[in-house]
Amino acid sequence: MTLELRAGIIGTGFMGSVHAHAVRAAGGEVIAVAGSSLASAEASASALGARTAAESPEALIARADVDVIHICTPNATHADLARKAIAAGKPVVCEKPLATSVEDARELTDLADRAGVVTGVPFVYRFYPAVREARDRILRGDAGRLWLLHGSYLQDWLVGAEATNWRVDSTIGGASRAFGDIGVHWCDLMEFTTGHRITRLVAKTSRAYDQRKTGGRLSSVATEDGATLLFETDKGATGSLVVSQVSPGRKNRLWFSFDGTEASFSFNQERPDTLHVGTTESSSEIAVGPQTLTTPGGRRYAKLPPGHPQGYQDSFNSFVADVYAAIQGLTPEGLPTFRDGLRAALITDAVVASAAQQTWVDVSGTDAPFELLKSSSAAERQKQ
Ligand code: NAI
Ligand code: SOE
């Protein structure tokens, strides 16, 4: 199989760089980058290892020597750029959130289906080997009946009224900030790992700072610093989630515990080299490595011996490698696509509505079967 895909990357910030590394790790080449101006693309092209800077995102999408488009720009620009990439008939990896409205996310999903282009949305925490190990063990029944699904996603990069970013502005980042930016990762991970889907939820959003400094002066903030959720799932579990971007000392602490009648599984993204498995007789930390993990999913994504932690960039590399395999006609199991981006938009919509109405809200679109469980390999695994 050849994986020498030629990529074009739009957006040259944090994620532009992460995508560029992952493209090369997958055997691809970064042909061109585009930014908010030609000057910004030119300034970043060599750092990102690109052959050239494109004049604009549109010029990059139109290039005959670019096979696949990566969209790594602020949230509100995603829908327009993804539409253009699909119209050009090119596979597209679009950063989360796929769009800042359900309508756009649904339209993009339909357009991509009709055009038959491969899509990817980087719900990248699915690609930790410990997560795949937990998922395989849970789906084969090791946890017993999952009844309590809980966790948190905490960061501290928005501590202080001086701290700001485009994500704080709802016209660029979307109506929900803390939940829309990081809560969606947790919900995706929970649904992916357990096979449960959130049917209804109640959310309370709040702010540590009502004003933040932008352009040298304090202005009012419309987006939340944190969100607290209670939810129910289609398989009868209850759950809770705390999300915050103002939790001093927590850098990128995505943590979950999925508790069943036989065992609980928990994982901390900041300590990705272990998976905690608890039973009434034992409480063990399983070291991550191809020799120590026992399930197909865990082994597939564990590339280094135990004690040599694989981290965020490694997971990203695995994600892009799977997207590129899909472009070449394979069907890697568990690849997050535009459909998962739409799912995240529906949950975010429910969080925003619940917080505004101060009431439980149904998550629409939950009646469709969980996409990943339809795939034969997952179904096979459930039979084991
Ligand atoms: P960033 O602020 O570091 O970079 C954004 C880049 O987009 C900058 O290079 C900027 O010049 C460029 N840009 C802005 N407007 C543009 C336009 N109209 N056309 C072309 N380029 C434009 O932001 P970051 O952290 O890289 O985030 C980008 C996206 O990636 C966001 O949607 C964010 O939610 C997502 N993200 C996803 C992560 C994941 O784990 N999947 C991790 C971090 C971010
Ligand atoms: C900032 O909160 C951020 O970079 C998010 O945008 C990403 O999606 C998350 O993976 C890490 O934190």
Side-chain angles (χ1 to χ4, degrees), residues 10-16 34-36 40 57 72-75 77-78 81 95-97 122-125 165-167 181 185 312 316:
I10 309 174
T12 57
F14 170 33
M15 291 319 285
S36 39
S40 74
C72 308
T73 52
N75 305 349
T77 64
H78 292 177
L81 295 171
E95 266 302 344
K96 42 64 54 181
F123 286 117
V124 64
Y125 300 104
N165 179 264
W166 57 259
R167 289 167 175 83
D181 187 40
H185 277 298
Y312 180 85
F316 220 96

Side-chain angles (χ1 to χ4, degrees), residues 62-268:
R63 286 181 72 106
D65 59 355
V66 166
D67 305 314
V68 50
I69 309 297
H70 292 246
I71 299 172
C72 308
T73 52
N75 305 349
T77 64
H78 292 177
D80 179 50
L81 295 171
R83 244 180 237 115
K84 288 173 175 160
I86 296 167
K90 298 197 176 177
V92 50
V93 181
C94 181
E95 266 302 344
K96 42 64 54 181
L98 173 57
T100 51
S101 74
V102 167
E103 294 69 31
D104 279 345
R106 198 186 302 283
E107 185 198 331
L108 291 170
T109 306
D110 291 346
L111 286 173
D113 279 353
R114 265 186 266 135
V117 298
V118 167
T119 62
V121 174
F123 286 117
V124 64
Y125 300 104
R126 292 184 183 195
F127 291 83
Y128 280 103
V131 165
R132 295 287 176 142
E133 181 80 8
R135 177 175 185 251
D136 280 359
R137 289 182 184 221
I138 286 170
L139 294 183
R140 78 184 179 200
D142 287 15
R145 179 174 49 80
L146 285 177
W147 71 282
L148 190 63
L149 311 170
H150 55 111
S152 53
Y153 194 158
L154 310 175
Q155 299 180 331
D156 71 358
W157 65 280
L158 280 170
V159 168
E162 309 277 316
T164 195
N165 179 264
W166 57 259
R167 289 167 175 83
V168 172
D169 180 346
S170 60
T171 63
I172 309 176
S176 168
R177 190 226 313 154
F179 184 82
D181 187 40
I182 57 176
V184 290
H185 277 298
W186 192 94
C187 290
D188 177 80
L189 202 60
M190 184 282 287
E191 293 197 338
F192 176 71
T193 308
T194 64
H196 284 230
R197 281 159 74 87
I198 298 173
T199 48
R200 58 196 295 260
L201 59 83
V202 60
K204 165 99 179 115
T205 54
S206 46
R207 264 188 295 279
Y209 307 93
D210 284 331
Q211 297 193 312
R212 287 184 181 274
K213 214 163 207 176
T214 8
R217 56 191 176 83
L218 285 173
S219 20
S220 296
V221 172
T223 52
E224 79 279 4
D225 289 324
T228 307
L229 271 70
L230 276 181
F231 60 84
E232 292 173 357
T233 74
D234 59 343
K235 295 187 179 140
T238 302
S240 73
L241 169 64
V242 176
V243 175
S244 156
Q245 295 183 317
V246 183
S247 288
R250 303 301 190 189
K251 300 301 173 195
N252 199 35
R253 191 179 188 273
L254 187 169
W255 178 85
F256 66 66
S257 184
F258 301 145
D259 303 350
T261 49
E262 306 296 327
S264 68
F265 290 86
S266 58
F267 171 73
N268 174 2

Side-chain angles (χ1 to χ4, degrees), residues 271-273 288 304-311 314:
R271 301 281 177 273
D273 55 338
V288 167
L304 301 171
H308 301 76
Q310 283 178 228
D314 300 284

